[in-house]
Amino acid sequence: MKRIPLLLFLLSNVLLAQVPEGKQVISSLYVYDLQSGESTLILEEERHFEAPNWSPDGTFLLINSAGKLEKIGLDGKNLGTLNTGEIQKANNDHGYTFDGKTLFISSGKPDVRGGSYIYKVEAEGGVPELITELSPSYWHGVSPDGKDIVYCAQRNNNFDVYKISTNGGEEIRLTSESGLDDGPEYSPDGKFIYFNSYRSGMMQIWRMKPDGSDPEQMTFDNHSNWFAHISPNNKVATIITYIEDQKESHPFGRQVKLRLLDLESKAVKDLTEEFYGGQGTINVPSWNPEGTQFAYVRYALKDI
């Protein structure tokens, strides 16, 4: 979760501060199939959950809710909470290495108010190890060889893309534009890091070399485009598009749609109709291992 005023973050690190007073969130977990072009409802509950990852073995989806990570079967059954030790403030920026052995978690520290740090833990759960010493840091991607992660971090009052070894150490700043740079994710071949940037005055998808050089714009429309998630085939990416310009913000509770970006031609096509979503819908990589389906979340509100 990002760009929420500090007071709101302290009041609720699961985005309840963005939910209108007197309303209950209904979260619906869907799987979209590229061949059929249809979304299938997996789970609908009267609570706030976010950001599905597809497990590397293809058997379940990992979501975050109330600071914890939960495993949801493809039939919608709750398979339990992942053991993350004392790290119990997970936000919606989490995901696996390409080999499926390690999970990265963005979370606050125990007994510390606010802040987001990046941890790693065995994919099956265990005791997380701290990677980033500075906060706020939000994980978004890992290199195909598993040696580096890329993340969005606020340093000196500006959000940029950074890289660091998965063993920690010194972080490397990859972007330096005055506008927000966010959502970095490696392509499966390791040749590019895709990210979204406000440097043109509209939030668009960009890509750059792994060292931060040669930035290239990938989308060019009048919508706010976020979070390019690259398919395992390295040919297309899902993106979330806000219908109305949100400037540098990525709020919950707006009209959005999911689209498919062709990484060669840069053509974009709609996958879904407009729906109520935004923050939490598809923050992190959610493709199945075959690259034929992906998971996402829609939201609705009801009176309490």
Side-chain angles (χ1 to χ4, degrees):
M1 62 188 73
K2 290 181 280 296
R3 270 64 67 193
I4 304 172
L6 179 59
L7 177 58
L8 295 186
F9 181 86
L10 294 176
L11 289 173
S12 172
N13 70 345
V14 290
L15 290 175
L16 292 182
Q18 294 189 22
V19 178
E21 185 177 355
K23 298 291 185 179
Q24 167 70 50
V25 175
I26 302 172
S27 303
S28 300
L29 180 60
Y30 281 88
V31 166
Y32 185 93
D33 184 86
L34 285 184
Q35 184 173 1
S36 69
E38 296 181 351
S39 294
T40 300
L41 178 63
I42 300 299
L43 174 68
E44 183 174 277
E45 294 186 332
E46 293 184 4
R47 64 176 177 130
H48 197 162
F49 61 72
E50 304 177 293
N53 300 123
W54 208 301
S55 68
D57 64 4
T59 62
F60 66 87
L61 302 171
L62 187 73
I63 61 173
N64 65 281
S65 182
K68 301 180 186 299
L69 298 175
E70 301 175 22
K71 298 163 65 174
I72 306 296
L74 300 182
D75 58 0
K77 292 183 179 179
N78 194 309
L79 304 179
T81 301
L82 188 75
N83 175 24
T84 56
E86 295 183 349
I87 304 306
Q88 298 290 318
K89 298 180 180 180
N91 58 51
N92 53 32
D93 294 323
H94 44 77
Y96 297 95
T97 50
F98 282 80
D99 64 11
K101 295 180 180 180
T102 303
L103 175 69
F104 300 98
I105 306 168
S106 302
S107 174
K109 289 185 175 181
D111 303 320
V112 176
R113 299 180 69 188
S116 176
Y117 301 82
I118 301 175
Y119 297 81
K120 66 177 180 180
V121 67
E122 292 183 2
E124 296 77 16
V127 179
E129 299 179 34
L130 180 66
I131 298 177
T132 57
E133 296 290 343
L134 300 179
S135 175
S137 300
Y138 304 92
W139 179 89
H140 278 282
V142 59
S143 59
D145 61 11
K147 293 182 178 180
D148 298 298
I149 59 169
V150 282
Y151 53 102
C152 177
Q154 185 185 38
R155 308 288 184 258
N156 299 316
N157 298 315
N158 193 45
F159 281 97
D160 280 299
V161 173
Y162 288 81
K163 177 171 69 173
I164 196 172
S165 166
T166 52
N167 294 318
E170 183 178 358
E171 62 182 14
I172 300 171
R173 186 179 182 181
L174 297 181
T175 63
S176 58
E177 297 291 328
S178 58
L180 171 67
D181 296 314
D182 199 351
E185 188 172 317
Y186 279 91
S187 58
D189 60 7
K191 292 183 178 180
F192 296 103
I193 294 171
Y194 287 80
F195 63 106
N196 49 277
S197 176
Y198 196 68
R199 63 187 63 191
S200 68
M202 177 71 69
M203 191 62 74
Q204 301 290 352
I205 305 300
W206 290 67
R207 69 182 179 186
M208 59 186 171
K209 299 285 181 60
D211 63 359
S213 64
D214 299 332
E216 176 185 3
Q217 190 170 348
M218 300 296 291
T219 61
F220 301 85
D221 55 35
N222 292 319
H223 298 298
S224 293
N225 297 307
W226 286 71
F227 298 147
H229 302 311
I230 318 306
S231 167
N233 68 14
N234 203 41
K235 295 180 179 180
V236 296
T238 54
I239 62 175
I240 182 170
T241 295
Y242 284 86
I243 306 307
E244 296 183 355
D245 182 14
Q246 302 297 319
K247 305 301 181 183
E248 298 180 75
S249 180
H250 179 240
F252 167 84
R254 299 292 189 274
Q255 288 299 113
V256 299
K257 59 183 174 181
L258 300 180
R259 302 197 289 171
L260 197 69
L261 169 64
D262 186 297
L263 301 183
E264 182 176 353
S265 69
K266 301 184 182 180
V268 181
K269 69 175 185 179
D270 291 355
L271 295 178
T272 70
E273 71 280 10
E274 296 179 20
F275 62 89
Y276 189 74
Q279 180 76 261
T281 289
I282 191 167
N283 289 56
V284 288
S286 63
W287 286 96
N288 68 349
E290 297 78 23
T292 57
Q293 299 176 320
F294 63 87
Y296 69 100
V297 180
R298 299 186 185 210
Y299 296 103
L301 300 176
K302 62 172 288 188
D303 293 332
I304 297 176

